[in-house]
């Protein structure tokens, strides 16, 4: 009962913040050029000054830019993604670390994109990002594929998210105004959907973006096994997020034909979610079972099983140290899913630091950040990390 009360209270607060006005996800004053098929992943297509606030009305103590940049879909085709580059306005000159930040679930509608919420201080993770900025780190935040740019958001499609985070780091380093060195140290950080994105970026970095000097990855509350996570949320507080995940997979792989599995209620729910943000969509789907919104089970389809398996984390080890953390009472991501990811990476020789917290999903998102940032700071300072795989 305590977990359910905590989650509902948190979702209500987030729903109120989601109702606040936001800036357009894509600024109309961007300095633009025509995107070319010859662009490299990470090349900037548009850029314009913007602002970042940790909270509504908070003073602006950063320099920030909204960018669109070239990236790669889960199917290895070129796409364009939006994001924000934020640099502390602290008077320091010279190289500084860069953290590419994976946002947790914000929703499927363009209006939910972090880029549009930063100027008003209404981003759900603004306060956490501010903690990184106060350490003197630059932070690059991707909106992911299909948020703030044409097309539907490919929510929970791991490879697309990993590409978006790595290319966001490239774009930040290629933005002259940010003053970041292409040889500077890079960290990867994210929780929940952002943890999935961070995990995929960690696995892909050596092959997809080998020029980035990635020193460490922090990933918390990671949905590393989507079938197990979807089953865990069936009829639970995360049932709306589970339906969003199916819509996200369908956006990446239209041959999945999600609509053909849905009854009218399911079609209406997905249409609603595509036009609203995560907090409202989660409340709308509370305690709903997949069987309530379908005429047949998509998860029984071999095609769907292949698609979901494509986002499974742990088949290869990151080539740099990783910090994983998970709440033992997480009501959205099964604790065992996080623990099993640790086991898979450890078995493949990764240097993994594992930390568990006696909290639910939202509580762990906040309580776990200070230690995670301390760990990442040590990696950005080139301090060695052996991990605790043997314990």
């Amino acid at each position: 009962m305590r977990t359910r009360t905590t989650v509902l209270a948190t979702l209500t607060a987030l729903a109120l913040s989601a109702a606040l006005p936001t800036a357009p996800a894509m600024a109309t004053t961007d300095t633009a050029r025509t995107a070319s098929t010859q662009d490299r992943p990470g090349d900037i297509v548009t850029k314009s000054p913007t602002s970042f606030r940790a909270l509504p009305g908070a003073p602006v103590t950063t320099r920030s830019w909204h960018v669109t940049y070239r990236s790669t879909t889960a199917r290895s085709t070129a796409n364009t993604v939006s994001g924000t580059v934020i640099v502390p306005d602290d008077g320091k000159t010279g190289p500084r670390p860069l953290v590419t930040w994976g946002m947790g679930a914000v929703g499927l509608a363009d209006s939910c994109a972090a880029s549009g919420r930063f100027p008003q201080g209404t981003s759900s993770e603004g306060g956490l990002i501010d903690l990184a900025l106060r350490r003197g780190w630059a932070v690059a935040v991707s909106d992911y594929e299909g948020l703030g740019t044409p097309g539907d958001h490919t929510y929970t499609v791991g490879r697309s998210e990993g590409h978006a985070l790595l290319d966001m780091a490239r774009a930040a380093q290629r933005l002259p105004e940010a003053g970041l060195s292409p040889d500077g140290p890079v960290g990867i950080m994210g929780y929940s959907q952002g943890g999935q994105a961070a995990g995929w970026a960690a696995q892909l970095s050596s092959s997809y973006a080998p020029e980035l000097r990635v020193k460490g990855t922090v990933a918390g509350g990671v949905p590393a096994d989507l079938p197990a996570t979807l089953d865990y949320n069936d009829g639970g507080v995360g049932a709306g997020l589970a339906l969003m995940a199916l819509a996200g997979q369908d956006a990446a792989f239209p041959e999945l034909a999600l609509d053909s599995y849905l009854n009218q209620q399911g079609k209406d729910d997905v249409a609603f979610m595509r036009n609203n943000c995560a907090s409202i969509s989660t409340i709308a789907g509370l305690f709903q079972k997949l069987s309530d919104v379908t005429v047949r089970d998509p998860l029984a389809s071999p095609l769907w099983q292949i698609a979901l398996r494509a986002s499974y984390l742990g088949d290869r080890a990151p080539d740099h140290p990783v910090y994983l953390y998970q709440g033992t009472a997480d009501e959205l991501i099964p604790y065992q899913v996080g623990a099993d990811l640790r086991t898979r990476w450890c078995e493949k020789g990764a240097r993994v630091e594992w930390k568990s917290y006696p909290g639910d999903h939202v509580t762990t998102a906040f309580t776990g950040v200070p230690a995670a940032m301390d760990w990442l700071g040590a990696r950005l300072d080139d301090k060695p990390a052996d991990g605790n795989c043997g314990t």
Side-chain angles (χ1 to χ4, degrees), residues 79-372:
N79 64 355
T80 301
V81 178
S82 61
T84 305
V85 180
I86 313 164
V87 179
D89 193 9
D90 53 12
K92 295 180 182 178
T93 59
R96 70 171 76 230
L98 168 67
V99 173
T100 183
W101 188 284
M103 290 288 296
V106 296
L108 300 182
D110 282 342
S111 61
C112 313
S115 289
R117 295 185 174 272
F118 286 152
Q120 283 74 37
T122 56
S123 167
S124 58
E125 296 186 28
L128 301 180
I129 292 169
D130 189 54
L131 294 176
L133 295 166
R134 289 175 183 271
R135 291 174 177 255
W137 303 342
V139 179
V141 186
S142 176
D143 293 325
Y144 303 126
E145 180 181 2
L147 278 180
T149 50
D152 291 330
H153 176 36
T154 54
Y155 174 56
T156 70
V157 178
R159 189 172 295 272
S160 170
E161 295 169 348
H163 290 156
L165 256 61
L166 294 169
D167 289 327
M168 186 74 243
R170 285 167 156 164
Q173 290 183 342
R174 295 173 192 173
L175 180 68
E177 295 88 338
L180 301 174
S181 168
D183 298 323
V186 175
I188 302 169
M189 187 162 190
Y191 187 85
S192 197
Q193 180 190 8
Q196 181 192 35
W200 269 96
Q203 285 194 174
L204 292 171
S205 61
S206 61
S207 59
Y208 183 75
E211 81 283 6
L212 292 177
R213 295 182 60 231
V214 178
K215 298 294 186 177
T217 290
V218 169
V222 183
D225 181 338
L226 288 181
T229 303
L230 293 171
D231 181 67
Y232 185 74
N233 282 281
D234 195 34
V237 294
L241 293 173
L243 187 56
M244 279 175 51
L246 298 186
Q249 295 291 324
D250 187 66
F253 309 111
E255 66 274 18
L256 294 175
L258 175 61
D259 206 51
S260 69
Y261 292 86
L262 299 175
N263 60 25
Q264 191 57 53
Q265 180 184 344
K267 293 174 183 178
D268 291 345
D269 285 354
V270 169
F272 178 85
M273 290 172 179
R274 284 179 175 147
N275 289 284
N276 285 281
C277 297
S279 51
I280 297 173
S281 296
T282 303
I283 292 171
L286 279 173
F287 313 122
Q288 192 173 70
K289 295 189 70 67
L290 185 59
S291 59
D292 295 335
V293 295
T294 57
V295 294
R296 54 196 175 108
D297 184 6
L299 304 185
S301 159
L303 197 61
W304 272 92
Q305 291 168 6
I306 291 170
L308 294 173
R309 181 62 176 78
S311 288
Y312 185 79
L313 269 169
D315 285 342
R316 61 183 296 183
D319 68 343
H320 56 267
V322 177
Y323 183 99
L324 287 176
Y325 64 107
Q326 180 82 28
T328 58
D330 195 317
E331 74 289 355
L332 299 180
I333 312 299
Y335 177 80
Q336 196 60 45
V337 164
D340 287 347
L341 175 60
R342 176 212 188 188
T343 298
R344 291 193 295 275
W345 273 344
C346 285
E347 289 177 346
K348 290 176 174 60
R351 291 164 289 168
V352 181
E353 184 77 20
W354 167 259
K355 175 73 173 177
S356 61
Y357 288 88
D360 58 29
H361 191 74
V362 174
T363 302
T364 303
F366 289 92
T367 58
V369 163

Side-chain angles (χ1 to χ4, degrees), residues 29-42:
T29 57
D30 284 359
T31 301
R33 63 173 180 79
T34 302
S36 165
T37 56
Q38 301 303 310
D39 286 347
R40 301 167 297 164

